[in-house]
Amino acid sequence: MVYSTIRLERRNSGVATIFFNRPEKHNAMSPTVHKEMRDCLASLAEDEQLRVLVITGAGESFSAGMDLKKYFLEQRSSPVEMDKSRRNSREWINLLRTMSKVTIAAVNGWCVGAALRVIGACDIVFAGDNAKFVASEINFGVFPGGGVTKTLVELLGWRNAVYLTLTGEPIDAKRAAEIGLITKSVARGNLYKEVYALANKLKNHEPFSVRLAKDVLRHVKPLDDDTAWEYEIAKTEELTYLQRNEWTDVALKKFRNNEFKPAFESYKTKKRKTMV
Ligand code: COA
């Protein structure tokens, strides 16, 4: 499929990258971006070969958030169009948030407003040390919407969530990592090298274990201890069924045979003569 505002690149069978592709507009998310992201993510969610999805921006920004002209100003007088765009944006963010594959945001520059929701929906976020993060909405007389307030209170402590929302001040990648908004700040020149090294490693994990790990982490959040414990047991049984006992019959047997050490390697990637 040909897209006009995003670009999908297949790196190898297990890893794909979506680029926001409006570099001349700092990759602001127009109504077309939302529609294309929805279509693209819906098809990637069904892709059985895909293991890791990277999201980044073409050019020098990750994304300047919602397109303030095309999304807000131009659609203001057209409630039906506005409603369509809202639904599209919500749908693709949900597809991203619940995706069974590992999702990594590679933040290569500005990450503003609604783009914070995008990184909040990803599992892992690496940012170049040139990146800047800002909830800019208060600076144009509104508060962050599109799921951004929820992202901030969930990822950050209360003090930092309130501070970023009320000040509208940018923070750099080092600070973003310190407060838990992102996973890691890396030298800008090494951003993609580090992201793809991680992607290529994670693509080898047993896919059902990845899918259910993500599922369980998401669902235990609001549960009490006892319910979370029971939920984990049920999901472990589901996993065992789906992967036909691979973790016990293959992985743990390899450990018993002294063929790999789970604390620092995967049974899938350990290259020993004795392993298939
Ligand atoms: N929506 C629509 N257009 C945007 C945009 C946005 N969110 N962010 C940048 N652009 C456009 C600019 O209007 C400009 O378009 P033009 O060339 O047609 O005039 C182009 O992108 C380049 O941006 P410019 O402002 O000249 O670049 P800059 O490097 O000086 O500043 C930003 C970059 C991102 C700091 C600045 O554009 C900005 O503050 N953007 C608004 C971001 C925002 O508040 N987003 C929140 C949305 S929820």
Side-chain angles (χ1 to χ4, degrees), residues 45-270:
E46 304 273 297
D47 184 334
E48 305 238 325
Q49 302 302 312
L50 184 68
R51 298 280 184 268
V52 182
L53 175 64
V54 175
I55 299 192
T56 191
E60 295 308 311
S61 282
F62 178 74
S63 169
M66 287 301 184
D67 189 310
L68 298 176
K69 300 169 191 166
K70 288 184 182 295
Y71 187 91
F72 289 113
L73 283 176
E74 290 174 23
Q75 294 193 123
R76 197 70 212 157
S77 55
S78 176
V80 173
E81 290 308 307
M82 179 56 119
D83 181 56
K84 255 193 235 162
S85 292
R86 278 210 181 105
R87 283 163 186 270
N88 285 340
S89 82
R90 182 158 187 194
E91 271 178 42
W92 76 259
I93 288 288
N94 268 338
L95 283 163
L96 184 61
R97 192 175 64 81
T98 58
M99 185 144 266
S100 61
K101 298 101 177 38
V102 179
T103 53
I104 306 177
V107 182
N108 53 315
W110 281 109
C111 178
V112 189
L116 297 171
R117 182 66 190 104
V118 180
I119 64 167
C122 290
D123 301 321
I124 295 166
V125 185
F126 281 14
D129 52 12
N130 65 320
K132 290 267 190 292
F133 301 81
V134 52
S136 64
E137 288 85 345
I138 207 78
N139 293 326
F140 53 90
V142 69
F143 60 86
V148 173
T149 55
K150 172 90 171 142
T151 298
L152 296 179
V153 293
E154 220 165 60
L155 291 180
L156 312 178
W158 180 254
R159 290 275 166 238
N160 285 317
V162 172
Y163 193 81
L164 289 188
T165 304
L166 295 187
T167 63
E169 286 173 7
I171 57 169
D172 63 17
K174 183 169 168 282
R175 179 69 185 144
E178 273 166 14
I179 64 176
L181 182 60
I182 66 170
T183 314
K184 193 176 169 190
S185 164
V186 304
R188 171 66 177 96
N190 291 337
L191 176 62
Y192 293 111
K193 195 169 137 222
E194 292 213 21
V195 163
Y196 290 116
L198 182 66
N200 284 326
K201 180 176 155 196
L202 299 188
K203 81 174 196 263
N204 293 310
H205 286 322
E206 196 287 310
F208 288 115
S209 68
V210 170
R211 182 176 121 193
L212 273 94
K214 291 185 56 166
D215 233 32
V216 170
L217 284 166
R218 202 168 63 247
H219 284 101
V220 295
K221 256 197 271 180
L223 302 182
D224 61 76
D225 275 10
D226 286 337
T227 318
W229 183 274
E230 296 298 333
Y231 187 78
E232 284 174 350
I233 290 174
K235 283 289 180 182
T236 305
E237 293 309 316
E238 180 185 338
L239 172 64
T240 308
Y241 170 72
L242 283 170
Q243 58 162 226
R244 297 170 193 270
N245 306 317
E246 175 146 334
W247 71 277
T248 49
D249 291 1
V250 179
L252 293 193
K253 281 186 184 161
K254 283 180 193 291
F255 174 67
R256 189 179 60 194
N257 298 342
N258 219 5
E259 291 173 20
F260 86 112
K261 307 264 184 216
F264 54 76
E265 62 201 337
S266 160
Y267 75 101
K268 292 265 194 192
T269 46
K270 178 69 187 165

